[in-house]
Every structure is written in structure tokens, then in C-alpha cells.
Amino acid sequence: MSIGLDRVDLTDLGPAEEKFIAAVEKHVAALTSPWWKRNVTLVKTSALALSARSIPKV
């Protein structure tokens, strides 16, 4: 079923659509990059996550 643009105004969805497209482009770029770049990014992300944790001192 088609609903014409004269009945529904979708202009407010523009910013959300742009964010979605940017996120998809980033995701696809990550999936299609060479494996060594993906691994470096994964290691950096993991290191940042570990350093952000508060480790109790003994």
C-alpha cells in the first residue's frame, strides 16, 4: 500500500536518516577493511575498555 507525500510529512526524519546512513557506512567499511586493520581496531578498543575499568587495588 502506498501513502502519498500529501498525507504524510517525513521531513522531520531527515537527521535520523542521515545518522543511520552514516552508521551503516561505518559498519560496512569496518566489515570490508583488510583483516589486519580490523584486528588493530579491535585491540585498541579492548585496551581502552580495560583501561577504563576500575581495578581494585590489593
Side-chain angles (χ1 to χ4, degrees), residues 22-40:
V24 170
E25 287 174 347
K26 183 179 177 182
H27 181 73
V28 170
L31 290 176
T32 57
S33 67
W35 64 268
W36 59 87
K37 288 184 181 179
R38 290 193 303 258
N39 287 343
V40 168

Side-chain angles (χ1 to χ4, degrees), residues 1-10:
M1 176 164 112
S2 289
I3 300 174
L5 294 177
D6 57 330
R7 294 189 183 260
V8 178
D9 181 19
L10 301 175

